[in-house]
Amino acid sequence: MSELEKTPKAETGNVTGLYTEHEEWVVNMGEKTIHAKRMPGFFRTLKYITESFWLILFLGPYLRWNGKQALMLDVNDRQFHIFGLTILPQDIWMVSLLLLLLAMTLFAVTSVASRVFCGYFCFQTTWVDLFTWIEEKIEGNPNARHKLDAAPMDGAKFGKKALKHALWLLIAILTGISVIIWFEDAFVFWGNLLHFNLSLIEVATLIAFTLGTYFLAGFLREQTCLWLCPYARIQGVMCDSQTLVPTYDEKRGEPRGRIRKGAAAEESKQGDCIDCFQCVQVCPTGVDIRQGQQLGCITCGLCLDACDSIMDKIGRPRGLIRYMTLDEVNGLPEKKLYQHPRTLVYIGILLIALVGIIYGLSHMGNLTLRVAPERQPLFVRMSDGSIQNKYTFKVLNKTAGDVQVKVSAEGGVKGQIIVDGGKPQLIHHGKASAFTVFVKAPEENLMSETTKIQFRVENLDDPNMKAEYDTVFTGPKR
């Protein structure tokens, strides 16, 4: 007895009832809206988990640290605040390394598992998923939504559409606000917003992100992935025959055919695909994965959940659609990860960037010192016969408050003194403060034309907060 003959009649009837959904499905050419079906499964759950990471966008700016916003990209003052860490323009090389790290991570993951970023983390995918979830709760399942779209406008339809678009706009507005408050204090912005006291650039930014979110996620949807997103084009060059992608097992599935009551003997000669179109029904871009890899596939794995659920119902093994490589499809031996030269290059660059970021963070003090010796003249002979050098100090204070520092020196010339060395210097927070320092030494103690000297600035209230800089003391030729 075949597996299909063992399937209970009630279960078979339930499966054959799925064919009525196919009548509502239209090939995704952009002229009609795709209403994807939601089915539970491993990849759907994984998608919910990864998409929830975007809550950081909405909640992150409200975190406080020492009475201030913990996470803020303060472009006006050219400062990035990350809890107790302040990154200034002088540390921008670490931001560059961070961007390189993110890019190499994206490339490495794409070379191994194709467009998983598109399917699980992309903001467009996430917002579309949220908007369509709201749409489903208000307008019903895909069949009901198609019928509602085709129905004439009446009170019931207007009420559902109005509620849906109102919620979409609310989310779009909150998205715009959330983007802005990453660049300025969240509570100050809300106060200005409630009192209609926003600047022109704030209003323009809010309108741009609100309308962009509303139209991209609510109307363009999958067309954004197909026609606007450049990553959909360039990801192809990052994949090879060893890249894992959702793939239909044609050898096992063909010849496909529908389940019909009382035709078990005939259907036993068919492949495992029962042509139920559930893999297409759940696809957010309307792709039929059985036609091979396509530009619209965002590697979300929802078709795997749909197919596995059908295989369970008809008593056939899972995996008719599964993550496979092209080599596996063609029966070629699979390579190990270390046999992927391109992926190893991505990982190597990724590790270099990561080490650079860790080094920068671990060696980034609260004070940074730069010392520039006067070049014209290099030195001055004083009336008492001593040699004096002039230095311009630039001290960068990365803390949240002003500090007073004292200047000291090590090395240099025997008997040297720092003119007004006991005078404290005020260094403003988040800025580089400049001041002049004079050092003079007896000429008879000069052993060479230049002598190494190390300057130090030290916080008067916290001796552990200090910075050093190596330069030279210059005298006449010997």
Side-chain angles (χ1 to χ4, degrees):
M1 182 179 293
S2 67
E3 291 290 342
L4 185 57
E5 290 172 324
K6 296 178 183 179
T7 305
K9 290 183 177 180
E11 190 68 75
T12 301
N14 185 31
V15 174
T16 56
L18 294 172
Y19 294 121
T20 60
E21 296 181 356
H22 171 51
E23 297 172 359
E24 300 296 333
W25 178 80
V26 180
V27 176
N28 177 24
M29 297 298 292
E31 70 276 4
K32 290 189 177 181
T33 303
I34 295 295
H35 291 301
K37 182 179 180 180
R38 288 177 183 265
M39 295 183 67
F42 172 78
F43 292 101
R44 167 48 71 182
T45 302
L46 180 62
K47 189 175 177 69
Y48 283 144
I49 294 173
T50 55
E51 289 176 342
S52 66
F53 291 165
W54 280 102
L55 288 173
I56 297 174
L57 173 70
F58 294 94
L59 303 179
Y62 300 102
L63 297 175
R64 313 301 286 182
W65 186 266
N66 293 331
K68 295 186 177 181
Q69 189 163 312
L71 302 170
M72 185 166 67
L73 309 177
D74 190 350
V75 177
N76 290 333
D77 293 329
R78 295 181 295 176
Q79 301 176 7
F80 294 170
H81 299 287
I82 305 175
F83 292 93
L85 181 66
T86 299
I87 299 177
L88 298 174
Q90 290 80 358
D91 306 309
I92 198 66
W93 62 272
M94 282 191 293
V95 178
S96 301
L97 285 180
L98 177 61
L99 295 176
L100 178 63
L101 173 69
L102 295 176
M104 289 301 106
T105 301
L106 179 62
F107 294 165
V109 171
T110 301
S111 68
V112 173
S114 189
R115 294 169 60 186
V116 290
F117 171 79
C118 295
Y120 296 98
F121 295 98
C122 175
F123 50 87
Q124 172 68 13
T125 302
T126 301
W127 264 252
V128 169
D129 206 37
L130 175 60
F131 275 38
T132 53
W133 179 82
I134 292 172
E135 187 176 61
E136 182 180 52
K137 295 301 180 184
I138 296 173
E139 298 182 358
N141 60 36
N143 285 352
R145 278 178 272 167
H146 281 297
K147 292 177 181 178
L148 185 65
D149 289 344
M153 182 62 69
D154 57 16
K157 179 176 179 178
F158 178 82
K160 290 181 179 181
K161 294 291 185 180
L163 177 59
K164 178 185 74 173
H165 286 280
L167 292 176
W168 283 1
L169 275 172
L170 176 61
I171 294 173
I173 293 172
L174 290 176
T175 300
I177 292 173
S178 298
V179 171
I180 293 174
I181 60 179
W182 276 84
F183 295 89
E184 58 181 277
D185 189 273
F187 298 122
V188 172
F189 175 83
W190 274 106
N192 292 335
L193 177 64
L194 295 176
H195 290 86
F196 302 99
N197 191 31
L198 297 180
S199 66
L200 179 60
I201 190 171
E202 288 173 327
V203 173
T205 304
L206 180 59
I207 293 175
F209 275 94
T210 298
L211 295 180
T213 303
Y214 178 65
F215 283 104
L216 288 175
F219 294 93
L220 288 180
R221 298 189 183 183
E222 76 287 339
Q223 300 304 308
T224 303
C225 305
L226 293 173
W227 312 115
L228 297 182
C229 179
Y231 182 59
R233 268 71 179 170
I234 67 174
Q235 61 87 27
V237 301
M238 293 183 246
C239 301
D240 56 24
S241 60
Q242 285 294 313
T243 301
L244 288 168
V245 291
T247 307
Y248 169 66
D249 190 343
E250 187 174 350
K251 295 179 181 178
R252 174 184 156 188
E254 301 296 326
R256 71 184 75 157
R258 296 189 175 191
I259 290 181
R260 295 179 177 84
K261 295 182 180 180
E266 178 184 346
E267 291 169 356
S268 63
K269 301 176 184 179
Q270 298 174 352
D272 283 354
C273 179
I274 64 171
D275 212 19
C276 65
F277 274 85
Q278 291 304 294
C279 56
V280 185
Q281 290 282 341
V282 300
C283 180
T285 59
V287 164
D288 188 344
I289 196 64
R290 299 172 300 174
Q291 304 302 320
Q293 282 302 303
Q294 300 158 65
L295 180 66
C297 179
I298 59 174
T299 322
C300 62
L302 299 181
C303 55
L304 279 69
D305 285 338
C307 187
D308 285 345
S309 68
I310 298 301
M311 293 298 104
D312 291 342
K313 290 179 180 179
I314 65 175
R316 294 176 184 175
R318 291 186 166 198
L320 177 60
I321 301 176
R322 61 185 184 274
Y323 274 95
M324 288 195 293
T325 66
L326 182 60
D327 283 351
E328 182 182 352
V329 173
N330 295 328
L332 300 176
E334 296 189 59
K335 296 179 181 179
K336 304 296 183 182
L337 180 61
Y338 60 81
Q339 294 175 309
H340 292 235
R342 181 171 51 185
T343 303
L344 294 178
V345 171
Y346 291 148
I347 295 175
I349 299 175
L350 187 154
L351 292 176
I352 292 173
L354 182 61
V355 169
I357 293 172
I358 294 175
Y359 173 83
L361 292 176
S362 61
H363 288 76
M364 188 171 64
N366 290 322
L367 290 177
T368 300
L369 173 64
R370 295 288 183 272
V371 179
E374 182 74 19
R375 296 300 180 187
Q376 193 65 28
L378 291 174
F379 63 89
V380 174
R381 181 176 279 107
M382 307 300 290
S383 59
D384 60 358
S386 62
I387 302 299
Q388 179 173 279
N389 280 201
K390 178 182 177 182
Y391 301 90
T392 300
F393 277 49
K394 289 186 177 180
V395 184
L396 179 63
N397 178 9
K398 300 179 182 179
T399 66
D402 297 344
V403 299
Q404 287 191 324
V405 300
K406 66 177 181 179
V407 179
S408 60
E410 290 186 2
V413 181
K414 182 180 179 181
Q416 68 185 12
I417 62 172
I418 300 176
V419 180
D420 294 331
K423 179 182 177 182
Q425 299 288 342
L426 178 64
I427 311 299
H428 297 286
H429 68 280
K431 297 181 180 179
S433 300
F435 55 90
T436 301
V437 171
F438 295 94
V439 178
K440 64 180 182 178
E443 183 175 359
E444 61 270 16
N445 291 344
L446 293 172
M447 298 293 104
S448 62
E449 184 179 353
T450 59
T451 305
K452 291 183 178 180
I453 183 173
Q454 182 186 74
F455 287 105
R456 175 186 291 116
V457 290
E458 182 180 298
N459 185 354
L460 292 176
D461 298 323
D462 182 6
N464 292 322
M465 186 187 300
K466 57 187 177 181
E468 294 89 17
Y469 193 89
D470 293 324
T471 185
V472 295
F473 183 92
T474 305
K477 293 183 179 180
R478 311 303 293 175

